[in-house]
Amino acid sequence: QVSQMGLILDPLADKILAAALVVMLIFYRGFPVWLAALIIGRDLMILGAAAILLKGSKVVVPSTITGKYTFFFIVVLVSCSVIRFDFGVAVLTFITTALIIASMAIYARTYKRIKNGRIVATYQDKIIVRIIRIGLTAAIVIPLLVKLYFQL
């Protein structure tokens, strides 16, 4: 079951957790400050836009599929940083940066459409798209896990 409060609190909790971990990693693992600024900046942009929309029109924008993948790869990147898996950090920095930029553009477009009074359709997952998405995710994550296994 999905509630309006859940649509607000779940992503907010994710963003707070990610920001706290990224800030800690700057000090304890040498996490790139520019990447931390990009991650936190994206989250602040989304929160600011969501607050404006919620205040003005009581519209809660659900997460996009790009936003969900961005957060997934942020979590994997942070995990690689925590365990000092440098290969994973190197690969995921590129992927995560590209996803952050893409998700920022998509959220900005969505915000603009809602502010202009257009209805924004929620994402409808098609089976073929889901299969491709899962396959691509596995193609990225499985080699990282194998490399990590042999590194340990």
Side-chain angles (χ1 to χ4, degrees), residues 66-152:
T66 309
K68 290 179 181 187
Y69 265 88
T70 301
F71 186 71
F72 170 76
F73 279 99
I74 288 170
V75 168
V76 176
L77 173 64
V78 165
S79 300
C80 287
S81 295
V82 167
I83 64 172
R84 294 189 170 126
F85 180 41
D86 295 333
F87 176 77
V89 170
V91 170
L92 290 168
T93 295
F94 173 75
I95 294 168
T96 303
T97 301
L99 283 169
I100 288 171
I101 293 167
S103 74
M104 286 174 71
I106 290 168
Y107 279 117
R109 183 185 72 195
T110 302
Y111 171 79
K112 185 176 177 182
R113 285 182 177 177
I114 292 171
K115 284 301 276 183
N116 290 335
R118 291 194 198 146
I119 296 172
V120 178
T122 57
Y123 178 75
Q124 299 298 322
D125 207 7
K126 295 182 177 99
I127 189 69
I128 188 69
V129 175
R130 185 180 305 154
I131 290 168
I132 292 169
R133 194 175 64 241
I134 291 169
L136 289 173
T137 303
I140 293 168
V141 173
I142 290 172
L144 287 175
L145 292 173
V146 169
K147 174 83 172 154
L148 176 62
Y149 174 79
F150 286 110
Q151 182 175 317
L152 296 176

Side-chain angles (χ1 to χ4, degrees), residues 17-33 35-36 39-40 74-85 89:
L17 176 65
L21 286 171
V22 164
V23 169
M24 288 177 51
L25 287 172
I26 291 171
F27 294 106
Y28 295 106
R29 294 286 194 267
F31 195 83
V33 174
L35 185 54
I39 291 168
I40 294 169
I74 288 170
V75 168
V76 176
L77 173 64
V78 165
S79 300
C80 287
S81 295
V82 167
I83 64 172
R84 294 189 170 126
F85 180 41
V89 170

Side-chain angles (χ1 to χ4, degrees), residues 36-70:
L38 192 62
I39 291 168
I40 294 169
R42 170 193 172 265
D43 289 345
L44 289 175
M45 181 197 86
I46 293 168
L47 289 173
I52 291 168
L53 289 175
L54 191 60
K55 182 180 178 191
S57 60
K58 305 289 186 233
V59 173
V60 177
V61 181
S63 298
T64 65
I65 194 69
T66 309
K68 290 179 181 187
Y69 265 88
T70 301

